[in-house]
């Protein structure tokens, strides 16, 4: 016995295993496990908050009152190093040149623009002074000021990249600047003096004819939204002759067609037959595939150039931040442009930046409950996170705000239910067969789109600067 003890090689030899090792036991048992996890899954607030409308025939037509186009677009530029040039066809965004189809004349006009640089605080135009040029803002922001009722100066608007002012000065030799325009940041502008415009007009019969036609065309009666006016009389006494009227419709209403996100899910028959317990392998593969499709659907609803909300917001509903970061004043400006707002939508980093600005100002936005979740809000309007709102390489992004629902002339989601092999509303899973390699294929399709019923249903705060 003593010899046995002495022959031991240390403490390990003093103890013997008394029971089955756990690593061996795991080979004979079923572990407790989770279903497959996926980091890509987000809260998808936009899909949850949009009211979904049935689009029979895979299309939805938005009928509106007739609106007159007034040339309120944005101009694009190109640059070579620090030299900026306006893209000639983009000059058609100016009201006076809308519909003008002579590219050679536009090239001549574009070549006559002069690049000018202004520092923050510089005055570009002084109210009451002669207006003798059109200003195109290539980069930066300017603020328009008007004299207040008590002699102070009041900011009435902010213009940024691609916007312009002073285009009416090209026609009227007696025009004066209605507002003082001051550079909020460093600004690069391109200016076209009236004399240069007149020089091109003198040489071009086509431009001269176009300008004469533009000047002579009667201005149709319209309301502040650009819609054809509905004539009526009010406040009259006695047997006043009442005006006759009718509501004119847009003869070319926009139609939104359903878009699609699709993929082919492949599962080997051996997996489906032999490894289907305790979890349905096909079911789990399908679940994760559908989650990815829904993520893509929300991304498209925000970023698609045809129907995405960022690209379909009316230009008059796009505003710029006052200083760069998202402040309470900026969100108030967004809210003031529509009769009701249901929710904001912003990247989580943008919401954090807004929180920092509130902390700096000593403001504490309340938390509200939405769909059982507690989220930050501003003025009672939920501020919902969405990581599909893009952030540029220069750390700028956007904040969306919207009113939703058909009855409120808001933003709606479009889908079509009742489709063949429907698995979820407007999402189908179609069996495609088994190939010669014994692989089962399923076609998974999601159909969707979005529509903005009237322009003020959707607003965007652009060029929002976020940081750490």
């Amino acid at each position: 016995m003593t010899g046995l003890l002495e022959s031991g090689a240390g403490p390990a030899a003093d103890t013997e295993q008394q029971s089955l090792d756990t690593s061996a036991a795991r080979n004979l048992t079923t572990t407790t496990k989770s279903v497959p996890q996926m980091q890509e899954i987000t809260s998808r607030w936009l899909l949850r908050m949009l009211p979904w409308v049935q689009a029979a025939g895979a299309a939805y037509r938005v009928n509106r009152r007739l609106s007159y186009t007034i040339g309120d677009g944005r101009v694009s530029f190109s640059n070579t190093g620090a030299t900026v040039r306006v893209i000639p066809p983009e000059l058609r965004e100016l009201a006076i040149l809308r519909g003008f189809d002579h590219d050679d004349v536009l090239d001549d006009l574009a070549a006559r623009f002069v690049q000018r640089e202004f520092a923050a605080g510089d005055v570009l135009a002084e109210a009451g002074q002669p207006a003798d040029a059109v200003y195109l803002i290539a980069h930066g922001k300017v603020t328009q000021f008007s004299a207040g009722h008590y002699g102070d100066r009041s900011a009435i608007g902010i213009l940024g990249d691609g916007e312009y002012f002073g285009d009416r000065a090209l026609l009227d030799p007696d025009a004066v600047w209605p507002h003082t325009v001051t550079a909020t940041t460093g600004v690069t502008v391109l200016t076209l003096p009236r004399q240069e415009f007149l020089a091109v007009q003198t040489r071009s019969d086509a431009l001269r004819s176009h300008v004469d036609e533009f000047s002579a065309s009667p201005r149709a009666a319209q309301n502040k939204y650009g819609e054809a006016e509905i004539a009526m009389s009010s406040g009259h006494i006695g047997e006043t002759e009442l005006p006759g009227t009718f509501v004119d419709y847009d003869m070319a209403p926009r139609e939104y067609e359903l878009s699609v996100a699709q993929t082919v899910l492949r599962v080997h028959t051996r997996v489906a037959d032999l490894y289907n317990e305790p979890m349905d392998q096909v079911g789990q593969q399908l679940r994760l595939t559908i989650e990815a499709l829904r993520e893509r659907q929300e991304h498209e609803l925000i970023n698609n150039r045809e129907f995405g909300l960022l690209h379909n917001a009316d230009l008059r509903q796009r505003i710029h931040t006052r200083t760069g970061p998202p402040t309470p004043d900026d969100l108030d400006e967004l809210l003031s442009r529509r009769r009701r707002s249901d929710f904001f939508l912003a990247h989580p980093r943008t919401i954090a930046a807004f929180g920092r600005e509130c902390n700096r100002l000593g403001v504490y936005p309340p938390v509200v409950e939405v769909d059982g979740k507690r989220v930050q809000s501003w003025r009672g309007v939920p501020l919902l996170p969405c990581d599909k709102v893009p952030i540029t390489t220069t750390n700028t992004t956007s904040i969306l705000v919207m009113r939703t629902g058909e009855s409120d002339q808001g933003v709606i989601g479009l889908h079509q239910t009742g489709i063949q092999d429907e698995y979820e509303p407007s999402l189908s899973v179609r069996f495609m067969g088994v190939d010669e390699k014994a692989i089962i294929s399923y076609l998974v399709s999601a159909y969707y789109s979005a529509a903005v019923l009237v322009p003020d249903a959707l607003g965007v705060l652009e060029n929002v600067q976020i940081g750490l």
Side-chain angles (χ1 to χ4, degrees):
M1 184 68 175
T2 305
L4 289 175
L5 290 173
E6 290 175 349
S7 65
D14 295 339
T15 59
E16 295 183 3
Q17 186 172 321
Q18 302 294 315
S19 63
L20 181 68
D21 186 76
T22 55
S23 60
R26 288 184 61 185
N27 294 327
L28 303 180
T29 186
T30 300
T31 60
T32 301
K33 60 181 72 67
S34 72
V35 297
Q37 305 297 300
M38 182 175 174
Q39 293 188 73
E40 187 181 5
I41 299 174
T42 65
S43 54
R44 297 197 293 267
W45 278 108
L46 181 61
L47 299 190
R48 294 159 64 179
M49 299 297 289
L50 278 183
W52 291 92
V53 175
Q54 177 79 351
Y60 186 92
R61 180 180 298 155
V62 178
N63 288 307
R64 292 178 179 171
R65 279 175 60 184
L66 177 64
S67 296
Y68 297 101
T69 303
I70 57 175
D72 57 352
R74 292 188 179 179
V75 182
S76 298
F77 304 87
S78 63
N79 70 288
T80 303
T83 302
V84 180
R85 295 182 177 87
V86 61
I87 299 174
E90 291 290 310
L91 292 175
R92 296 189 180 99
E93 294 298 335
L94 303 179
I96 190 175
L97 295 175
R98 183 167 291 273
F100 184 67
D101 57 1
H102 293 264
D103 290 342
D104 57 331
V105 179
L106 294 179
D107 290 340
D108 191 4
L109 285 172
R112 293 171 180 261
F113 276 86
V114 178
Q115 180 175 338
R116 300 177 64 185
E117 307 286 339
F118 294 89
D122 288 350
V123 176
L124 284 71
E126 188 75 39
Q129 295 300 311
D132 58 355
V134 58
Y135 284 69
L136 311 182
I137 303 173
H139 181 67
K141 290 191 293 187
V142 301
T143 303
Q144 295 174 309
F145 293 96
S146 178
H149 183 69
Y150 298 101
D152 55 341
R153 194 171 69 161
S154 175
I156 62 171
I158 297 176
L159 303 178
D161 298 4
E163 295 180 292
Y164 57 87
F165 63 93
D167 54 314
R168 300 295 296 181
L170 299 179
L171 286 178
D172 185 3
D174 299 321
V176 296
W177 296 115
H179 313 295
T180 296
V181 182
T182 303
T184 306
T185 64
V187 179
T188 300
V189 300
L190 298 182
T191 65
L192 178 67
R194 184 190 306 114
Q195 291 80 0
E196 294 293 334
F197 182 80
L198 293 177
V200 177
Q201 181 180 334
T202 302
R203 294 166 48 188
S204 170
D205 293 338
L207 181 58
R208 185 164 56 253
S209 175
H210 179 84
V211 171
D212 290 343
E213 182 180 348
F214 176 83
S215 301
S217 60
R219 298 293 182 263
Q222 53 189 274
N223 60 22
K224 65 180 181 179
Y225 303 105
E227 297 172 329
E229 192 70 73
I230 298 176
M232 61 184 64
S233 176
S234 61
H236 50 272
I237 299 175
E239 299 178 353
T240 301
E241 183 175 350
L242 301 179
T245 191
F246 66 97
V247 181
D248 205 357
Y249 297 140
D250 186 350
M251 295 301 294
R254 178 171 179 180
E255 286 192 357
Y256 293 85
E257 295 185 357
L258 292 185
S259 183
V260 62
Q262 291 179 306
T263 190
V264 176
L265 173 63
R266 295 185 174 93
V267 182
H268 200 286
T269 53
R270 180 182 298 176
V271 173
D273 292 342
L274 302 181
Y275 301 94
N276 225 27
E277 291 292 340
M279 295 181 187
D280 180 0
Q281 292 281 3
V282 175
Q284 292 301 322
Q285 288 281 303
L286 185 59
R287 178 181 67 85
L288 296 180
T289 301
I290 291 175
E291 292 282 2
L293 273 179
R294 293 304 192 193
E295 294 291 332
R296 175 62 65 85
Q297 176 181 349
E298 185 173 67
H299 179 275
E300 291 290 301
L301 288 174
I302 293 174
N303 296 286
N304 187 281
R305 296 194 67 85
E306 294 297 322
F307 59 85
L309 299 182
L310 278 178
H311 298 283
N312 281 271
D314 189 89
L315 291 168
R316 288 165 293 184
Q317 296 296 328
R318 300 172 185 263
I319 64 174
H320 302 276
T321 59
R322 291 171 179 256
T323 57
T327 65
D329 289 340
D330 295 323
L331 267 58
D332 281 342
E333 182 67 21
L334 268 182
L335 294 177
S336 70
R337 291 175 175 249
R338 65 213 80 261
R339 63 176 181 267
R340 196 193 78 235
S341 299
D342 290 328
F343 59 90
F344 295 100
L345 200 68
H347 194 282
R349 288 180 58 193
T350 309
I351 297 176
F354 175 69
R356 289 193 294 272
E357 290 301 306
C358 290
N359 291 340
R360 185 177 63 82
L361 297 171
V363 177
Y364 304 99
V367 173
V368 297
E369 186 171 305
V370 181
D371 200 18
K373 308 291 184 181
R374 292 173 61 81
V375 297
Q376 191 171 335
S377 70
W378 180 249
R379 305 293 188 192
V381 179
L383 191 56
L384 303 179
C386 178
D387 66 349
K388 315 303 188 303
V389 180
I391 297 176
T392 68
T393 55
T394 56
N395 254 10
T396 59
T397 183
S398 302
I399 298 177
L400 295 86
V401 65
M402 64 193 78
R403 181 179 67 250
T404 60
E406 269 189 313
S407 60
D408 286 323
Q409 302 182 103
V411 180
I412 59 173
L414 303 175
H415 69 177
Q416 186 178 134
T417 58
I419 58 179
Q420 187 176 355
D421 299 315
E422 189 171 55
Y423 189 84
E424 292 180 358
S426 202
L427 184 146
S428 68
V429 179
R430 186 165 299 171
F431 176 67
M432 298 176 64
V434 183
D435 66 12
E436 63 277 6
K437 296 182 180 180
I439 296 178
I440 309 171
S441 296
Y442 297 90
L443 175 64
V444 188
S445 307
Y447 301 96
Y448 55 85
S449 189
V452 182
L453 299 188
V454 296
D456 78 340
L458 174 66
V460 179
L461 180 66
E462 296 185 317
N463 300 319
V464 178
Q465 185 71 48
I466 60 175
L468 298 177

